[in-house]
Amino acid sequence: MNSSPAPMQTVLEAGNVLGEGIVWCDRAQALYWTDIQAGTLWRHAPASGETQHWALPERLASFALCEADGWLLLALASRLAFFRLADGALHTVCEVEPDLPTRCNDGACDRQGRFVFGTLHEPAGGGPKQAIGGFWRLDADLSLRRLPLESVAISNSLAFSPDGGTLYYCDSPTRIIRCCEYGDTVGPSRNFVDLRGISGEPDGSCVDADGGLWNAQWGMGRVVRYHPDGREDRVIPVPARQPTRPALGGATLDTLYVTSARDGLDEAALARDPLAGALFAARIDARGLPEPRFAGRPPVGGTP
């Protein structure tokens, strides 16, 4: 799996401030992602070119598809909530870290139908982020528990091996992607990939059917695939300096989609990076896996 892919193309000049959380929905044959800072959920169907978006009452960090048709589980800045696409009905499940200056960040559904996500420190008045956030799991019965992993400043790179037995994650400022044995319990963690030699940071990830981890590297303009043993396999250039998260989708799950961000770029930087915030894609010689769906049941009603 080391042949050169087709060059990455621009699918949609979305102008996202902080495009993130992209997943492929096999039922809808469409991509969903979020512009976190704009509090907007996006959907794009590649076959028709149709694009939709929904404004939300607060920032949307990440989300999961649901087994229940027409619903998503949202990780909003302060809470988890079910969202009904048809009418915008929103039903809060629980608050997250209400006593800490944090917000929800990266998240992914595990192979057992549970939603795993992390948080991000938002220091009052700015300043460096501190490792005070955590990683959490919402089970199908809607119970929430903190996973016994180290505290983080910026949670990222959440992904699961094809058999569901390994969890990948990172605290982006440390520049180390870590992994651990995963199931009903979580095993000891270890370093998976040490990226302290790069100038950027590891951001979102996805896993292919062969167990390779695809990681978007913020500030580096690239997505890198790593073998299950941590060896670098290939580097795919992205035509924007701040790629945020990859997803494997398309009808045959062999298209690599990547979101990106304009966040933090001044006018001069944007002039040098005109596609910042766009959605990109490239055909690759790897296949993805169907996106896991949250097994919990949304309420019968909901509050718009």
Side-chain angles (χ1 to χ4, degrees), residues 58-59 76-79 96-105 117-124 129-134 136 146 152-154:
E58 60 179 304
R59 290 172 294 169
L76 297 163
S78 67
R79 56 186 165 139
V96 177
E97 297 181 352
D99 300 323
L100 291 175
T102 59
R103 69 160 171 83
C104 293
N105 202 45
F117 67 99
T119 58
L120 174 153
H121 180 210
E122 293 192 312
K129 291 177 170 56
Q130 305 297 320
I132 64 169
W136 298 81
R146 183 164 177 164
V152 291
I154 305 176

Side-chain angles (χ1 to χ4, degrees), residues 209-231:
D210 293 318
L213 183 85
W214 299 76
N215 177 246
Q217 297 184 352
W218 177 278
M220 300 293 289
R222 66 186 192 180
V223 172
V224 182
R225 182 186 188 270
Y226 298 96
H227 284 284
D229 62 8
R231 289 179 296 120

Side-chain angles (χ1 to χ4, degrees), residues 1-223:
M1 288 186 60
N2 55 10
S3 61
S4 298
M8 191 151 279
Q9 303 293 320
T10 303
V11 175
L12 184 68
E13 292 190 30
N16 293 156
V17 179
L18 185 52
E20 264 286 9
I22 190 166
V23 299
W24 173 257
C25 176
D26 55 346
R27 295 180 188 173
Q29 289 291 292
L31 296 154
Y32 289 90
W33 73 95
T34 174
D35 184 344
I36 295 177
Q37 304 295 44
T40 303
L41 172 70
W42 288 69
R43 178 170 68 188
H44 176 75
S48 68
E50 181 184 8
T51 301
Q52 297 172 266
H53 44 79
W54 294 261
L56 295 163
E58 60 179 304
R59 290 172 294 169
L60 172 61
S62 57
F63 55 89
L65 306 175
C66 290
E67 287 290 355
D69 280 336
W71 289 86
L72 299 178
L73 176 68
L74 308 184
L76 297 163
S78 67
R79 56 186 165 139
L80 301 182
F82 283 109
F83 178 71
R84 190 163 55 204
L85 292 160
D87 60 2
L90 193 68
H91 180 86
T92 296
V93 176
C94 61
E95 292 186 302
V96 177
E97 297 181 352
D99 300 323
L100 291 175
T102 59
R103 69 160 171 83
C104 293
N105 202 45
D106 195 31
C109 209
D110 68 16
R111 307 292 176 199
Q112 294 81 18
R114 302 169 295 192
F115 184 59
V116 177
F117 67 99
T119 58
L120 174 153
H121 180 210
E122 293 192 312
K129 291 177 170 56
Q130 305 297 320
I132 64 169
F135 291 98
W136 298 81
R137 184 169 73 198
L138 185 73
D139 289 348
D141 64 0
L142 305 187
S143 62
L144 181 69
R145 73 181 185 96
R146 183 164 177 164
L147 298 180
L149 299 170
E150 57 270 29
S151 296
V152 291
I154 305 176
S155 64
N156 257 317
S157 197
L158 282 161
F160 298 89
S161 60
D163 66 1
T166 301
L167 164 64
Y168 299 95
Y169 66 96
C170 77
D171 182 3
S172 287
T174 68
R175 296 185 172 90
I176 297 174
I177 301 174
R178 295 176 63 79
C179 65
C180 62
E181 292 184 4
Y182 178 83
D184 290 335
T185 59
V186 174
S189 60
R190 60 180 177 83
N191 288 357
F192 175 66
V193 175
D194 189 332
L195 296 169
R196 284 177 290 185
I198 70 171
S199 58
E201 293 182 353
D203 205 317
S205 292
C206 68
V207 171
D208 63 35
D210 293 318
L213 183 85
W214 299 76
N215 177 246
Q217 297 184 352
W218 177 278
M220 300 293 289
R222 66 186 192 180
V223 172

